[in-house]
Amino acid sequence: MVEQQVINSSALITAISWTGGKDCNLALLRSWRDGNFDVRYLLVFRLGTKSFKAHPLKFMEAQARSLDLKLIILDFPDGVVDWMDAYVEAIRKVRDEYGIQVISTGDINLVGMMQRNWMERACEGAGIKCYLPLWNIDKEEILNMMLDEGFDIIFSCVKAPFFDETWINRKLDQTALQEMKEIIRRGLTEDQVKSGTKLLDLCGERGEYHTMCVFGPLYKHRVEMDLSAKAYEEKISETNWEGNIHNSNYIWTISLN
């Protein structure tokens, strides 16, 4: 039986910044168990109708049904110049339409050159609060918390040089966690260091991998998706994609039939 949310009389209407992956699911659980937050919505930030290969929309819709929470899609138009302004405006719209007072996010720490958490800044600009329940918690501790809570999580996107296509659809369990720790322990080759490749982040905070949750403490039933056994493969070594900070040759993503 799904645990009921117990909130206090002054609880704030809360939305979870949502991708369907491991971190936002744990953020949902921690927010759900905090009586200061009345969790009602899942927020997906999306560039127009661009598909999420790592986080398929159909998958997120199925999660929302199992969680019995409303999924809100916030679409950004093509050609956005100032992304912070775009986020602030989108958050203002859902604030006014749904009465959202807090956005909870599964962000763990600062990434890249950021001086401050992105969602925290955007929420501040929109005049609402931001809750960061996983902020600065040890990465291995976070993964163990998820496993201890009984989350069933699969890898939905992985990148070379750390992973290969065999990780797609694989369960994130203790075996996978230990294998990722071993990848970190082995370190980088001399050529990788020279090219600026960084060590694998255990939680994939630099985009080394992405996940989707198929079951957890708040799910009424497992999320059943028709998944292809074969991963979708994309060669990116010959592109100029500026997000390729790992100098990856290939990226593999989950594929829905």
Side-chain angles (χ1 to χ4, degrees), residues 80-217:
V80 171
V81 176
D82 190 321
W83 280 101
M84 180 52 66
D85 282 352
Y87 265 76
V88 169
E89 181 60 27
I91 293 171
R92 283 178 181 154
K93 286 181 179 179
V94 293
R95 176 200 66 187
D96 295 342
E97 184 173 353
Y98 297 99
I100 293 170
Q101 298 167 288
V102 180
I103 292 180
S104 174
T105 173
D107 294 344
I108 299 172
N109 53 25
L110 295 176
V111 178
M113 302 299 291
M114 287 185 182
Q115 301 284 317
R116 194 175 164 209
N117 178 263
W118 179 273
M119 189 60 72
E120 189 174 43
R121 288 175 55 205
C123 287
E124 184 178 281
I128 69 172
K129 298 179 182 296
C130 182
Y131 178 46
L132 301 161
L134 310 185
W135 196 247
N136 285 335
I137 299 178
D138 176 78
K139 307 288 179 61
E140 186 172 355
E141 182 180 348
I142 286 174
L143 293 177
N144 278 315
M145 276 194 287
M146 295 174 187
L147 298 180
D148 290 344
E149 289 286 358
F151 281 105
D152 193 343
I153 300 162
I154 60 172
F155 288 88
S156 60
C157 175
V158 296
K159 297 174 185 175
F162 309 109
F163 304 98
D164 60 29
E165 69 274 17
T166 64
W167 286 76
I168 294 298
N169 295 336
R170 180 178 171 180
K171 187 173 181 177
L172 200 172
D173 54 16
Q174 276 295 338
T175 300
L177 173 54
Q178 295 308 313
E179 287 186 33
M180 289 193 291
K181 288 172 63 179
E182 177 60 21
I183 292 171
I184 295 171
R185 189 198 65 77
R186 287 200 306 263
L188 302 171
T189 65
E190 185 176 336
D191 287 343
Q192 287 172 335
V193 172
K194 287 180 179 179
S195 67
T197 302
K198 298 182 182 297
L199 276 174
L200 170 66
D201 182 281
L202 194 58
C203 279
E205 283 294 279
R206 290 188 288 269
E208 298 96 327
Y209 71 91
H210 298 274
T211 59
M212 291 299 286
C213 182
V214 298
F215 192 67

Side-chain angles (χ1 to χ4, degrees), residues 2-3 5 14-34 37-43 63-64 66-70 103-107 131-134 146 151 213 215-219:
V2 175
E3 62 183 84
Q5 188 178 22
T14 301
I16 311 297
S17 179
W18 197 252
T19 64
K22 57 182 175 48
D23 301 329
C24 63
N25 270 275
L26 187 56
L28 165 61
L29 183 63
R30 291 172 75 95
S31 302
W32 187 268
R33 290 174 174 171
D34 188 324
F37 304 109
D38 179 3
V39 180
R40 301 186 188 181
Y41 306 107
L42 306 175
L43 287 184
Q63 289 174 323
S66 181
L67 290 164
D68 199 20
L69 292 171
K70 182 175 180 61
I103 292 180
S104 174
T105 173
D107 294 344
Y131 178 46
L132 301 161
L134 310 185
M146 295 174 187
F151 281 105
C213 182
F215 192 67
L218 302 181
Y219 286 72

